[in-house]
Amino acid sequence: MLQVNYIRENRAHVLERLSVRNFGQPELVDEIIAIDEKRRSTQSQGDALQADANAAAKKIGELMKAGQREEAEAIKAKTTAAKDDIKKLNDELAVLEQELYDRIVQLPNLPHASVPKGVSAEDNEIVLTYGKAPELPESAQAHWDLAAKYDLIDFELGTKITGAGFPVYKGKGAKLQRALINFFLAEAEKAGYEEMMLPHLVNEASGFGTGQLPDKEGQMYFVGLDNLYLIPTAEVPITNLYRDVILKEDQLPVKNCGYTPCFRREAGSYGAHVRGLNRLHQFDKVEIVQVVHPDKSYEVLEQMSLHVQGLLQKLGLYYRVLRLCGGDMGFTSALTYDMEVWSAAQQRWLEVSSVSNFETYQSNRLKLRFKGSEGKPQLAHTLNGSALALPRIVASILENYQTEDGIKIPEVLIPYTGFDMIR
Protein backbone atom coordinates (compact mmCIF):
# COMPACT_ATOMS: atom_id res chain seq x y z
CA MET A 1 0.00 0.00 0.00
CA LEU A 2 1.02 3.61 -0.34
CA GLN A 3 2.81 5.34 2.53
CA VAL A 4 0.68 7.93 4.30
CA ASN A 5 3.59 10.38 4.63
CA TYR A 6 4.06 10.30 0.85
CA ILE A 7 0.34 10.92 0.26
CA ARG A 8 0.31 13.85 2.67
CA GLU A 9 3.44 15.48 1.23
CA ASN A 10 2.63 14.83 -2.46
CA ARG A 11 -1.15 15.25 -2.68
CA ALA A 12 -1.22 16.79 -6.18
CA HIS A 13 1.13 14.17 -7.61
CA VAL A 14 -0.84 11.31 -6.04
CA LEU A 15 -4.10 12.61 -7.53
CA GLU A 16 -2.49 13.12 -10.94
CA ARG A 17 -1.07 9.56 -11.03
CA LEU A 18 -4.35 8.05 -9.83
CA SER A 19 -6.11 9.85 -12.67
CA VAL A 20 -3.89 7.88 -15.10
CA ARG A 21 -5.55 4.78 -13.66
CA ASN A 22 -9.00 6.38 -13.99
CA PHE A 23 -9.34 5.77 -10.27
CA GLY A 24 -12.96 6.40 -9.31
CA GLN A 25 -12.51 7.50 -5.67
CA PRO A 26 -10.07 10.44 -5.66
CA GLU A 27 -11.87 11.82 -2.58
CA LEU A 28 -10.15 9.05 -0.59
CA VAL A 29 -6.89 10.99 -0.84
CA ASP A 30 -8.27 13.99 1.04
CA GLU A 31 -10.06 11.72 3.52
CA ILE A 32 -6.76 9.99 4.25
CA ILE A 33 -4.94 13.29 4.70
CA ALA A 34 -7.68 14.62 7.04
CA ILE A 35 -7.75 11.44 9.16
CA ASP A 36 -3.97 11.37 9.29
CA GLU A 37 -3.87 14.99 10.48
CA LYS A 38 -6.35 14.18 13.25
CA ARG A 39 -4.40 11.02 14.09
CA ARG A 40 -1.12 12.90 14.40
CA SER A 41 -2.76 15.59 16.54
CA THR A 42 -4.27 12.96 18.83
CA GLN A 43 -0.95 11.14 19.02
CA SER A 44 0.81 14.40 19.89
CA GLN A 45 -1.68 15.21 22.63
CA GLY A 46 -1.36 11.72 24.07
CA ASP A 47 2.44 11.84 23.96
CA ALA A 48 2.47 15.22 25.73
CA LEU A 49 0.14 13.97 28.48
CA GLN A 50 2.18 10.79 28.85
CA ALA A 51 5.38 12.83 29.14
CA ASP A 52 3.76 14.96 31.86
CA ALA A 53 2.57 11.80 33.64
CA ASN A 54 6.06 10.30 33.49
CA ALA A 55 7.56 13.50 34.89
CA ALA A 56 4.93 13.56 37.62
CA ALA A 57 5.65 9.94 38.53
CA LYS A 58 9.34 10.76 38.84
CA LYS A 59 8.53 13.80 40.99
CA ILE A 60 6.23 11.73 43.24
CA GLY A 61 9.04 9.24 43.76
CA GLU A 62 11.46 12.00 44.71
CA LEU A 63 8.96 13.59 47.14
CA MET A 64 8.20 10.26 48.79
CA LYS A 65 11.90 9.61 49.29
CA ALA A 66 12.23 13.06 50.86
CA GLY A 67 9.36 12.28 53.22
CA GLN A 68 7.10 14.89 51.64
CA ARG A 69 4.12 12.57 51.46
CA GLU A 70 1.44 15.27 51.44
CA GLU A 71 2.93 17.02 48.39
CA ALA A 72 3.35 13.64 46.66
CA GLU A 73 -0.30 12.72 47.24
CA ALA A 74 -1.43 16.07 45.82
CA ILE A 75 0.46 15.46 42.59
CA LYS A 76 -0.81 11.85 42.45
CA ALA A 77 -4.43 13.09 42.63
CA LYS A 78 -3.83 15.31 39.61
CA THR A 79 -2.26 12.49 37.60
CA THR A 80 -5.31 10.23 38.10
CA ALA A 81 -7.39 12.53 35.88
CA ALA A 82 -4.53 12.69 33.39
CA LYS A 83 -4.48 8.89 33.13
CA ASP A 84 -8.17 8.93 32.18
CA ASP A 85 -7.43 11.51 29.48
CA ILE A 86 -4.52 9.42 28.16
CA LYS A 87 -6.73 6.32 27.94
CA LYS A 88 -9.42 8.29 26.12
CA LEU A 89 -6.86 9.64 23.62
CA ASN A 90 -5.40 6.16 23.08
CA ASP A 91 -8.88 4.80 22.37
CA GLU A 92 -9.50 7.63 19.89
CA LEU A 93 -6.12 6.95 18.30
CA ALA A 94 -6.94 3.26 17.77
CA VAL A 95 -10.20 4.22 16.02
CA LEU A 96 -8.43 6.77 13.79
CA GLU A 97 -5.69 4.30 12.87
CA GLN A 98 -8.31 1.75 11.81
CA GLU A 99 -10.17 4.38 9.77
CA LEU A 100 -6.88 5.38 8.12
CA TYR A 101 -6.02 1.75 7.34
CA ASP A 102 -9.50 1.04 5.93
CA ARG A 103 -9.11 3.87 3.43
CA ILE A 104 -5.47 3.58 2.49
CA VAL A 105 -5.79 -0.08 1.46
CA GLN A 106 -8.37 1.03 -1.11
CA LEU A 107 -5.78 3.10 -2.99
CA PRO A 108 -3.98 1.27 -5.83
CA ASN A 109 -0.30 1.78 -6.57
CA LEU A 110 0.72 4.93 -8.42
CA PRO A 111 1.61 4.33 -12.09
CA HIS A 112 5.16 5.04 -13.21
CA ALA A 113 5.64 8.16 -15.32
CA SER A 114 5.99 6.02 -18.48
CA VAL A 115 2.56 4.39 -18.08
CA PRO A 116 0.22 5.63 -20.83
CA LYS A 117 -3.27 6.85 -20.07
CA GLY A 118 -6.09 4.58 -21.16
CA VAL A 119 -9.18 2.76 -20.03
CA SER A 120 -8.78 -0.77 -21.40
CA ALA A 121 -6.49 -3.24 -23.16
CA GLU A 122 -7.20 -1.41 -26.41
CA ASP A 123 -5.10 1.49 -25.09
CA ASN A 124 -1.99 -0.53 -24.23
CA GLU A 125 1.22 0.56 -25.93
CA ILE A 126 3.05 -1.88 -28.22
CA VAL A 127 6.71 -1.71 -27.24
CA LEU A 128 8.07 -4.21 -29.77
CA THR A 129 7.11 -7.15 -31.96
CA TYR A 130 9.57 -10.00 -32.50
CA GLY A 131 9.71 -12.69 -35.16
CA LYS A 132 7.39 -13.59 -37.98
CA ALA A 133 3.88 -14.98 -37.89
CA PRO A 134 3.83 -18.63 -39.02
CA GLU A 135 1.97 -19.39 -42.22
CA LEU A 136 -0.37 -22.32 -41.79
CA PRO A 137 -2.49 -24.11 -44.39
CA GLU A 138 -6.19 -23.36 -44.56
CA SER A 139 -6.83 -26.72 -42.93
CA ALA A 140 -5.00 -25.62 -39.75
CA GLN A 141 -6.86 -26.43 -36.54
CA ALA A 142 -7.18 -24.68 -33.21
CA HIS A 143 -5.42 -26.28 -30.23
CA TRP A 144 -8.60 -27.76 -28.74
CA ASP A 145 -9.16 -29.76 -31.92
CA LEU A 146 -5.49 -30.76 -32.10
CA ALA A 147 -5.60 -31.84 -28.44
CA ALA A 148 -8.52 -34.14 -29.22
CA LYS A 149 -7.00 -35.41 -32.48
CA TYR A 150 -3.73 -36.46 -30.83
CA ASP A 151 -5.29 -37.38 -27.45
CA LEU A 152 -3.21 -34.82 -25.54
CA ILE A 153 -5.76 -33.01 -23.35
CA ASP A 154 -9.21 -34.12 -22.24
CA PHE A 155 -11.37 -31.15 -21.29
CA GLU A 156 -14.53 -33.21 -20.79
CA LEU A 157 -12.82 -35.61 -18.39
CA GLY A 158 -11.62 -32.63 -16.33
CA THR A 159 -15.18 -31.31 -16.23
CA LYS A 160 -16.38 -34.71 -15.02
CA ILE A 161 -13.83 -34.84 -12.20
CA THR A 162 -13.98 -31.21 -11.11
CA GLY A 163 -15.67 -28.78 -13.46
CA ALA A 164 -14.99 -26.56 -16.46
CA GLY A 165 -11.52 -25.04 -16.54
CA PHE A 166 -9.72 -28.05 -15.02
CA PRO A 167 -8.29 -30.04 -17.97
CA VAL A 168 -6.64 -33.46 -17.82
CA TYR A 169 -3.33 -33.75 -19.69
CA LYS A 170 -2.56 -37.15 -21.16
CA GLY A 171 0.43 -38.97 -22.63
CA LYS A 172 2.56 -36.66 -24.73
CA GLY A 173 0.39 -33.75 -23.64
CA ALA A 174 1.42 -34.35 -20.03
CA LYS A 175 5.06 -34.83 -21.06
CA LEU A 176 4.99 -31.56 -22.99
CA GLN A 177 3.73 -29.80 -19.85
CA ARG A 178 6.50 -31.30 -17.72
CA ALA A 179 9.10 -30.51 -20.38
CA LEU A 180 8.11 -26.85 -20.44
CA ILE A 181 8.19 -26.60 -16.64
CA ASN A 182 11.68 -28.15 -16.51
CA PHE A 183 12.91 -25.96 -19.37
CA PHE A 184 11.62 -22.77 -17.71
CA LEU A 185 13.14 -23.73 -14.35
CA ALA A 186 16.48 -24.60 -15.95
CA GLU A 187 16.58 -21.26 -17.75
CA ALA A 188 15.71 -19.42 -14.54
CA GLU A 189 18.53 -21.20 -12.73
CA LYS A 190 20.96 -20.17 -15.49
CA ALA A 191 19.82 -16.57 -14.93
CA GLY A 192 20.69 -16.77 -11.24
CA TYR A 193 17.30 -17.51 -9.70
CA GLU A 194 17.18 -19.88 -6.73
CA GLU A 195 14.34 -22.40 -7.02
CA MET A 196 11.81 -22.70 -4.20
CA MET A 197 9.22 -25.45 -3.65
CA LEU A 198 6.26 -23.74 -2.06
CA PRO A 199 2.94 -24.31 -0.30
CA HIS A 200 -0.06 -24.10 -2.60
CA LEU A 201 -2.22 -22.54 0.10
CA VAL A 202 -1.56 -19.29 1.95
CA ASN A 203 -3.04 -17.49 4.92
CA GLU A 204 -4.80 -14.13 4.87
CA ALA A 205 -1.66 -12.23 5.93
CA SER A 206 0.18 -13.58 2.87
CA GLY A 207 -2.67 -12.65 0.53
CA PHE A 208 -2.71 -9.14 1.98
CA GLY A 209 1.08 -8.81 1.80
CA THR A 210 1.24 -9.15 -1.98
CA GLY A 211 -2.02 -7.29 -2.60
CA GLN A 212 -4.39 -10.08 -3.61
CA LEU A 213 -6.46 -9.25 -0.53
CA PRO A 214 -8.72 -7.40 -0.31
CA ASP A 215 -8.56 -6.43 -4.01
CA LYS A 216 -8.92 -9.88 -5.62
CA GLU A 217 -10.70 -11.81 -2.89
CA GLY A 218 -13.50 -12.87 -5.23
CA GLN A 219 -11.02 -14.37 -7.70
CA MET A 220 -9.36 -16.69 -5.17
CA TYR A 221 -10.47 -20.11 -4.01
CA PHE A 222 -11.11 -19.98 -0.26
CA VAL A 223 -10.79 -22.97 2.07
CA GLY A 224 -13.19 -21.74 4.72
CA LEU A 225 -12.65 -24.38 7.39
CA ASP A 226 -8.98 -23.47 7.68
CA ASN A 227 -9.18 -19.82 6.56
CA LEU A 228 -6.67 -20.44 3.76
CA TYR A 229 -6.54 -19.48 0.09
CA LEU A 230 -5.35 -21.51 -2.91
CA ILE A 231 -2.60 -19.49 -4.55
CA PRO A 232 -3.38 -17.58 -7.76
CA THR A 233 0.36 -17.47 -8.55
CA ALA A 234 3.69 -18.45 -6.97
CA GLU A 235 4.34 -14.73 -6.51
CA VAL A 236 2.30 -14.88 -3.30
CA PRO A 237 4.25 -17.53 -1.34
CA ILE A 238 7.64 -16.53 -2.78
CA THR A 239 7.34 -12.84 -1.93
CA ASN A 240 5.92 -13.67 1.50
CA LEU A 241 9.09 -15.58 2.32
CA TYR A 242 10.43 -12.10 3.12
CA ARG A 243 7.48 -10.73 5.10
CA ASP A 244 8.68 -8.99 8.30
CA VAL A 245 12.31 -9.44 7.20
CA ILE A 246 15.11 -6.86 7.27
CA LEU A 247 17.75 -7.80 4.70
CA LYS A 248 21.29 -6.51 4.51
CA GLU A 249 22.01 -4.37 1.49
CA ASP A 250 24.68 -6.80 0.27
CA GLN A 251 21.99 -9.52 0.13
CA LEU A 252 20.24 -7.64 -2.68
CA PRO A 253 19.10 -8.54 -5.21
CA VAL A 254 17.20 -11.56 -3.95
CA LYS A 255 16.25 -13.76 -6.92
CA ASN A 256 13.83 -16.66 -6.52
CA CYS A 257 11.81 -18.80 -8.89
CA GLY A 258 9.23 -21.49 -8.38
CA TYR A 259 6.88 -23.79 -10.22
CA THR A 260 3.34 -24.15 -8.86
CA PRO A 261 -0.15 -24.84 -10.06
CA CYS A 262 -2.22 -21.65 -9.99
CA PHE A 263 -5.90 -21.41 -9.08
CA ARG A 264 -8.23 -18.63 -10.18
CA ARG A 265 -11.98 -18.40 -9.83
CA GLU A 266 -12.32 -15.72 -12.50
CA ALA A 267 -15.50 -16.46 -14.40
CA GLY A 268 -15.07 -17.01 -18.11
CA SER A 269 -17.62 -16.08 -20.71
CA TYR A 270 -18.40 -18.40 -23.58
CA GLY A 271 -16.83 -18.37 -27.02
CA ALA A 272 -13.48 -18.97 -28.71
CA HIS A 273 -11.65 -16.39 -26.58
CA VAL A 274 -12.05 -18.56 -23.50
CA ARG A 275 -12.23 -21.96 -25.19
CA GLY A 276 -9.72 -24.77 -24.61
CA LEU A 277 -6.58 -23.57 -22.86
CA ASN A 278 -7.30 -19.88 -23.37
CA ARG A 279 -8.69 -19.47 -19.86
CA LEU A 280 -8.54 -21.98 -17.04
CA HIS A 281 -9.29 -22.16 -13.33
CA GLN A 282 -6.19 -24.30 -12.70
CA PHE A 283 -2.97 -24.01 -14.68
CA ASP A 284 0.79 -24.41 -14.28
CA LYS A 285 3.28 -21.58 -14.17
CA VAL A 286 6.91 -20.84 -13.39
CA GLU A 287 7.31 -17.52 -11.61
CA ILE A 288 10.38 -15.34 -11.13
CA VAL A 289 10.56 -12.85 -8.24
CA GLN A 290 13.17 -10.29 -7.25
CA VAL A 291 13.65 -8.11 -4.17
CA VAL A 292 15.96 -5.24 -5.10
CA HIS A 293 17.39 -1.88 -4.09
CA PRO A 294 15.00 0.93 -5.08
CA ASP A 295 17.67 2.50 -7.30
CA LYS A 296 17.90 -0.69 -9.39
CA SER A 297 14.28 -1.77 -9.81
CA TYR A 298 13.56 -0.36 -13.27
CA GLU A 299 16.84 -1.69 -14.62
CA VAL A 300 15.88 -5.07 -13.15
CA LEU A 301 12.40 -4.83 -14.70
CA GLU A 302 13.98 -4.56 -18.16
CA GLN A 303 16.25 -7.53 -17.38
CA MET A 304 13.27 -9.63 -16.32
CA SER A 305 11.41 -8.65 -19.48
CA LEU A 306 14.40 -9.74 -21.57
CA HIS A 307 14.55 -13.06 -19.68
CA VAL A 308 10.93 -13.83 -20.57
CA GLN A 309 11.47 -12.72 -24.15
CA GLY A 310 14.48 -15.02 -24.33
CA LEU A 311 12.25 -17.99 -23.45
CA LEU A 312 9.81 -17.07 -26.21
CA GLN A 313 12.64 -16.66 -28.70
CA LYS A 314 14.11 -20.06 -27.83
CA LEU A 315 10.67 -21.61 -28.32
CA GLY A 316 10.50 -19.96 -31.74
CA LEU A 317 7.25 -18.13 -31.01
CA TYR A 318 6.17 -14.89 -32.66
CA TYR A 319 5.45 -12.43 -29.84
CA ARG A 320 4.98 -8.81 -28.88
CA VAL A 321 5.56 -6.77 -25.72
CA LEU A 322 2.98 -4.32 -24.42
CA ARG A 323 3.30 -1.57 -21.83
CA LEU A 324 -0.03 -1.63 -20.02
CA CYS A 325 -2.04 1.58 -19.80
CA GLY A 326 -3.31 2.92 -16.49
CA GLY A 327 -6.78 1.44 -16.95
CA ASP A 328 -5.49 -2.09 -17.62
CA MET A 329 -2.84 -2.36 -14.91
CA GLY A 330 -3.08 -4.54 -11.84
CA PHE A 331 -3.99 -2.89 -8.53
CA THR A 332 -0.50 -3.29 -7.02
CA SER A 333 1.69 -2.55 -10.05
CA ALA A 334 3.60 0.64 -10.86
CA LEU A 335 4.56 -0.59 -14.35
CA THR A 336 3.68 -3.82 -16.17
CA TYR A 337 4.85 -5.35 -19.41
CA ASP A 338 2.64 -8.02 -20.95
CA MET A 339 4.06 -10.56 -23.41
CA GLU A 340 1.66 -11.98 -25.97
CA VAL A 341 2.26 -14.80 -28.46
CA TRP A 342 0.54 -15.11 -31.79
CA SER A 343 -1.92 -17.96 -32.24
CA ALA A 344 -1.83 -18.66 -35.97
CA ALA A 345 -4.87 -20.94 -35.91
CA GLN A 346 -7.02 -18.58 -33.83
CA GLN A 347 -5.58 -15.48 -35.52
CA ARG A 348 -5.23 -13.61 -32.26
CA TRP A 349 -2.70 -12.61 -29.63
CA LEU A 350 -2.60 -14.61 -26.39
CA GLU A 351 -1.15 -13.17 -23.18
CA VAL A 352 1.47 -15.53 -21.70
CA SER A 353 3.33 -13.34 -19.21
CA SER A 354 3.16 -10.20 -17.12
CA VAL A 355 6.32 -8.68 -15.66
CA SER A 356 5.72 -5.98 -13.07
CA ASN A 357 7.51 -3.58 -10.76
CA PHE A 358 5.57 -2.93 -7.56
CA GLU A 359 8.12 -0.46 -6.15
CA THR A 360 7.36 -0.23 -2.38
CA TYR A 361 3.65 -1.07 -2.60
CA GLN A 362 4.05 -4.72 -1.59
CA SER A 363 7.05 -4.21 0.68
CA ASN A 364 5.15 -1.62 2.73
CA ARG A 365 2.43 -4.21 3.36
CA LEU A 366 5.00 -6.93 3.97
CA LYS A 367 7.28 -4.79 6.12
CA LEU A 368 10.05 -6.01 3.84
CA ARG A 369 13.06 -3.77 4.39
CA PHE A 370 16.79 -3.66 3.96
CA LYS A 371 19.45 -1.90 5.98
CA GLY A 372 21.83 0.23 3.95
CA SER A 373 25.26 1.58 4.77
CA GLU A 374 23.72 4.31 6.93
CA GLY A 375 22.15 1.61 9.10
CA LYS A 376 18.58 2.88 8.70
CA PRO A 377 16.02 0.31 7.43
CA GLN A 378 14.20 1.29 4.27
CA LEU A 379 11.61 -0.38 2.08
CA ALA A 380 12.89 -2.59 -0.75
CA HIS A 381 11.31 -2.82 -4.21
CA THR A 382 9.65 -6.06 -5.34
CA LEU A 383 9.17 -7.36 -8.88
CA ASN A 384 7.75 -10.51 -10.39
CA GLY A 385 7.06 -12.10 -13.74
CA SER A 386 5.54 -15.16 -15.36
CA ALA A 387 8.36 -17.15 -16.89
CA LEU A 388 6.13 -18.64 -18.14
CA ALA A 389 2.45 -19.53 -17.78
CA LEU A 390 1.92 -22.81 -19.61
CA PRO A 391 -1.62 -23.04 -21.05
CA ARG A 392 -1.33 -20.49 -23.84
CA ILE A 393 2.27 -21.49 -24.54
CA VAL A 394 1.06 -25.06 -25.08
CA ALA A 395 -1.81 -23.73 -27.22
CA SER A 396 0.59 -21.72 -29.37
CA ILE A 397 3.06 -24.59 -29.78
CA LEU A 398 0.29 -26.98 -30.84
CA GLU A 399 -1.17 -24.50 -33.30
CA ASN A 400 1.96 -22.85 -34.69
CA TYR A 401 4.00 -26.06 -35.05
CA GLN A 402 1.28 -28.18 -36.66
CA THR A 403 2.08 -29.91 -39.97
CA GLU A 404 0.36 -32.46 -42.17
CA ASP A 405 2.39 -35.18 -40.42
CA GLY A 406 1.82 -34.06 -36.85
CA ILE A 407 3.04 -31.42 -34.43
CA LYS A 408 6.72 -30.58 -34.29
CA ILE A 409 8.36 -30.06 -30.93
CA PRO A 410 10.50 -26.89 -30.63
CA GLU A 411 14.13 -27.95 -30.81
CA VAL A 412 14.98 -26.55 -27.39
CA LEU A 413 12.36 -28.81 -25.76
CA ILE A 414 13.41 -32.12 -27.34
CA PRO A 415 15.98 -32.92 -24.58
CA TYR A 416 13.14 -32.48 -22.08
CA THR A 417 10.35 -34.30 -23.97
CA GLY A 418 12.41 -37.18 -25.36
CA PHE A 419 10.50 -36.92 -28.67
CA ASP A 420 10.55 -34.48 -31.56
CA MET A 421 7.07 -35.03 -32.98
CA ILE A 422 3.52 -35.60 -31.84
CA ARG A 423 1.71 -37.93 -34.22
Side-chain angles (χ1 to χ4, degrees):
M1 58 189 174
L2 300 179
Q3 295 172 270
V4 67
N5 290 352
Y6 187 87
I7 296 170
R8 183 177 66 247
E9 295 166 8
N10 300 276
R11 175 185 176 276
H13 175 71
V14 169
L15 287 169
E16 185 272 327
R17 297 322 294 161
L18 288 175
S19 72
V20 173
R21 280 187 173 273
N22 310 297
F23 183 63
Q25 296 177 275
E27 67 278 2
L28 276 176
V29 173
D30 285 332
E31 289 178 20
I32 287 167
I33 292 171
I35 294 169
D36 181 54
E37 184 176 344
K38 191 172 181 181
R39 178 189 67 86
R40 289 186 298 127
S41 174
T42 303
Q43 178 79 63
S44 180
Q45 291 176 56
D47 289 346
L49 285 176
Q50 187 63 57
D52 290 344
N54 293 341
K58 183 179 179 182
K59 183 66 174 175
I60 290 168
E62 291 172 353
L63 290 169
M64 294 292 280
K65 278 184 181 181
Q68 296 174 284
R69 187 178 184 85
E70 188 175 336
E71 291 89 338
E73 290 296 336
I75 296 174
K76 189 183 291 187
K78 291 179 181 179
T79 60
T80 300
K83 286 179 181 178
D84 291 338
D85 290 340
I86 291 170
K87 183 181 183 305
K88 182 180 177 182
L89 286 169
N90 285 338
D91 291 343
E92 289 178 10
L93 185 63
V95 171
L96 289 168
E97 287 176 341
Q98 186 62 49
E99 289 180 1
L100 184 63
Y101 169 86
D102 289 343
R103 284 163 176 77
I104 204 167
V105 296
Q106 296 179 52
L107 290 182
N109 203 353
L110 303 181
H112 184 262
S114 66
V115 172
K117 289 188 176 182
V119 297
S120 69
E122 304 299 321
D123 302 310
N124 293 336
E125 176 186 320
I126 299 174
V127 177
L128 64 88
T129 303
Y130 183 94
K132 183 180 178 183
E135 297 180 6
L136 300 181
E138 291 184 7
S139 60
Q141 295 177 290
H143 69 270
W144 50 84
D145 293 322
L146 293 166
K149 178 180 178 180
Y150 295 104
D151 197 23
L152 303 174
I153 307 168
D154 195 321
F155 296 100
E156 289 73 22
L157 193 55
T159 301
K160 172 188 173 183
I161 297 168
T162 308
F166 296 88
V168 172
Y169 298 85
K170 304 169 65 177
K172 288 187 174 180
K175 289 181 179 179
L176 178 58
Q177 284 275 116
R178 182 155 43 87
L180 282 163
I181 292 166
N182 288 335
F183 168 61
F184 295 152
L185 286 173
E187 292 297 303
E189 183 180 12
K190 289 178 188 176
Y193 291 90
E194 180 182 13
E195 183 180 352
M196 300 289 185
M197 295 193 73
L198 305 150
H200 298 164
L201 294 103
V202 293
N203 55 31
E204 187 174 346
S206 295
F208 174 80
T210 44
Q212 277 68 32
L213 298 175
D215 179 53
K216 296 182 175 65
E217 186 169 8
Q219 297 180 22
M220 298 172 71
Y221 284 97
F222 179 56
V223 184
L225 188 62
D226 300 302
N227 200 32
L228 297 173
Y229 294 84
L230 286 166
I231 59 170
T233 165
E235 166 204 353
V236 181
I238 291 179
T239 313
N240 272 278
L241 294 171
Y242 306 99
R243 175 157 43 96
D244 299 319
V245 170
I246 299 178
L247 298 164
K248 294 179 181 177
E249 188 170 359
D250 60 11
Q251 292 178 280
L252 302 178
V254 172
K255 301 175 70 174
N256 291 145
C257 68
Y259 152 70
T260 65
C262 304
F263 304 89
R264 299 185 186 179
R265 291 187 65 247
E266 54 184 347
S269 56
Y270 295 96
H273 284 198
V274 295
R275 191 173 175 186
L277 296 173
N278 287 350
R279 183 174 296 171
L280 301 175
H281 293 303
Q282 178 182 329
F283 59 94
D284 293 320
K285 180 154 68 82
V286 171
E287 192 82 0
I288 54 174
V289 173
Q290 291 206 40
V291 180
V292 306
H293 192 287
D295 294 345
K296 302 286 187 181
S297 66
Y298 281 96
E299 176 186 337
V300 169
L301 179 66
E302 299 302 322
Q303 292 169 1
M304 292 173 73
S305 171
L306 290 174
H307 174 78
V308 175
Q309 291 181 57
L311 299 177
L312 297 173
Q313 291 170 18
K314 289 175 182 178
L315 290 172
L317 295 173
Y318 175 49
Y319 72 87
R320 68 181 185 180
V321 179
L322 305 176
R323 181 184 285 109
L324 298 194
C325 71
D328 199 34
M329 284 173 57
F331 189 84
T332 54
S333 175
L335 176 60
T336 295
Y337 291 123
D338 269 8
M339 283 69 171
E340 299 180 335
V341 296
W342 179 249
S343 165
Q346 298 179 67
Q347 289 291 295
R348 58 185 290 255
W349 292 99
L350 302 175
E351 179 199 331
V352 294
S353 176
S354 287
V355 182
S356 300
N357 187 352
F358 305 102
E359 296 187 357
T360 61
Y361 195 89
Q362 289 182 334
S363 57
N364 190 28
R365 289 176 171 229
L366 294 159
K367 294 182 172 57
L368 165 52
R369 294 160 291 172
F370 71 97
K371 192 174 287 188
S373 56
E374 297 177 357
K376 184 180 179 181
Q378 59 180 302
L379 295 172
H381 280 196
T382 61
L383 304 94
N384 80 336
S386 310
L388 285 159
L390 270 72
R392 294 171 183 174
I393 291 291
V394 171
S396 297
I397 288 174
L398 296 182
E399 293 178 1
N400 296 353
Y401 279 91
Q402 63 181 298
T403 70
E404 296 294 334
D405 299 323
I407 300 168
K408 291 181 180 178
I409 297 297
E411 187 175 345
V412 73
L413 289 182
I414 295 173
Y416 298 93
T417 59
F419 55 85
D420 61 2
M421 205 73 180
I422 294 173
R423 292 187 172 87

